[in-house]
């Protein structure tokens, strides 16, 4: 109708372009929030660049859980896959775990291998690989071998810290124009056991900056996950799906 915008507010954008909010169909908001405390390894084109970024990050703190995490390396850009010896040169004492950009492969320094009790005698995990050189682990773990990281990754932040981490991740989304997220958050995919409770608390505080459709891991169904088709009274939070995967 002609008067549909009569009560609205007119804003002169001075020639700027306006786009609708974006909807992201596959995200891990908790992991995204944690990434803000990790070494950003995206785009590293040499081993020395990777090492320098790690050294610079160590000057500001170790990160979450008392160990250093790095995210985003790519062997195609680096020229080869990093090894424990590469990490030992830049992170000699603090346990360090640097994940490839796919998050299905990680390289550990010697301190992290020791913390996780990974050595020559450690057997491969079914569905995963511990890469070796003459029997000694090179530091590279693939696929389900990442389960060996539990001594480092089983640490879970306090409830209020989890709220802060989720809020950092959501804020990054909104700052980049994403106003609707389908986020897969769980203990095995991010390190948060009861994501619904944490998101709900943010909603009750009036701090959810966008709409969240939560996806839980299949392992959490019936144990920590909300009941099917759960909706929060705020209208900004719901959960009606679980993630099932079989290919690693």
């Amino acid at each position: 109708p002609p008067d549909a915008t009569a009560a609205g507010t007119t804003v002169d954008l001075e020639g700027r372009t306006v786009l609708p909010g974006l909807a992201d169909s596959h995200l891990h908001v908790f992991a995204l929030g944690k990434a803000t405390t990790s070494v950003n390894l995206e785009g590293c084109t040499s081993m020395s660049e990777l090492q320098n970024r790690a050294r610079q990050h160590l000057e500001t703190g170790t990160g979450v859980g008392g160990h250093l995490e790095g995210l985003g390396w790519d062997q195609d850009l680096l020229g080869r896959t990093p090894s424990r010896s590469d990490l030992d040169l830049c992170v000699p004492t603090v346990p360090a775990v640097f994940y490839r950009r796919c998050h299905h492969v990680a390289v550990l320094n010697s301190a992290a291998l020791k913390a996780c009790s990974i050595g020559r005698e450690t057997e491969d995990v079914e569905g995963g690989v511990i890469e070796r050189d003459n029997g000694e682990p090179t530091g590279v773990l693939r696929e389900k071998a990442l389960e060996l990281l539990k001594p480092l990754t089983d640490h879970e932040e306090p409830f209020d810290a989890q709220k802060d981490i989720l809020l950092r991740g959501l804020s990054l989304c909104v700052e980049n124009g994403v106003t609707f997220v389908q986020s897969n958050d769980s203990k095995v995919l991010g390190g948060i056991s009861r994501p619904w409770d944490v998101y709900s608390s943010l909603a009750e505080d009036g701090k959810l900056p966008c709409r969240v459709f939560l996806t839980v891991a299949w392992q959490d169904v019936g144990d920590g996950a909300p009941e099917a088709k759960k909706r929060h009274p705020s209208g900004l939070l719901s959960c009606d799906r679980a993630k099932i995967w079989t290919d690693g």
Side-chain angles (χ1 to χ4, degrees):
D3 61 348
T5 60
T9 301
T10 300
V11 178
D12 184 357
L13 298 176
E14 301 178 351
R16 297 180 179 89
T17 300
V18 176
L19 298 174
L22 302 174
D24 191 287
S25 62
H26 185 141
L27 198 60
H28 303 278
V29 169
F30 193 74
L32 179 62
K34 286 177 72 174
T36 62
T37 65
S38 302
V39 187
N40 180 4
L41 303 175
E42 290 280 351
C44 282
T45 57
S46 68
M47 212 59 67
S48 61
E49 183 180 0
L50 179 149
Q51 291 165 337
N52 286 335
R53 289 194 192 184
R55 292 186 185 102
Q56 291 168 5
H57 191 90
L58 277 174
E59 295 175 0
T60 66
T62 58
V64 176
H67 69 281
L68 182 66
E69 286 193 356
L71 301 173
W73 60 265
D74 185 334
Q75 75 280 1
D76 291 332
L77 296 177
L78 290 170
R80 61 178 174 83
T81 299
S83 68
R84 65 190 292 179
S85 58
D86 294 316
L87 270 59
D88 287 348
L89 289 173
C90 56
V91 192
T93 56
V94 176
V97 181
F98 287 3
Y99 292 91
R100 190 187 182 277
R101 61 188 307 174
C102 62
H103 225 83
H104 288 248
V105 183
V107 59
L108 286 63
N109 68 350
S110 294
L113 288 170
K114 182 177 180 181
C116 296
S117 301
I118 300 172
R120 177 182 284 270
E121 304 304 321
T122 306
E123 296 183 0
D124 281 341
V125 176
E126 184 177 355
V129 175
I130 303 171
E131 288 199 357
R132 305 172 193 270
D133 182 12
N134 292 322
E136 285 292 335
T138 65
V140 176
L141 305 182
R142 298 184 180 276
E143 300 295 350
K144 292 200 73 173
L146 295 176
E147 293 178 358
L148 297 172
L149 293 174
K150 285 183 179 179
L152 292 175
T153 59
D154 259 1
H155 164 84
E156 195 158 335
E157 294 78 12
F159 191 83
D160 285 343
Q162 291 183 342
K163 289 174 65 175
D164 290 340
I165 291 169
L166 277 181
L167 190 55
R168 286 201 300 270
L170 291 170
S171 296
L172 280 172
C173 293
V174 173
E175 289 167 10
N176 287 279
V178 178
T179 58
F180 165 132
V181 298
Q182 295 192 52
S183 185
N184 186 194
D185 300 296
S186 66
K187 182 65 176 178
V188 296
L189 291 165
I192 179 171
S193 295
R194 306 188 73 86
W196 175 267
D197 295 342
V198 186
Y199 277 116
S200 294
S201 183
L202 284 172
E204 288 153 13
D205 293 345
K207 291 184 177 180
L208 272 187
C210 63
R211 195 175 303 277
V212 177
F213 292 82
L214 175 64
T215 302
V216 296
W218 67 268
Q219 296 97 322
D220 296 335
V221 174
D223 182 22
E227 61 268 25
K229 299 186 178 180
K230 180 84 169 182
R231 299 285 188 275
H232 190 273
S234 66
L236 293 175
L237 174 63
S238 63
C239 180
D240 59 4
R241 58 182 65 81
K243 181 173 182 177
I244 302 172
W245 65 97
T246 60
D247 63 350

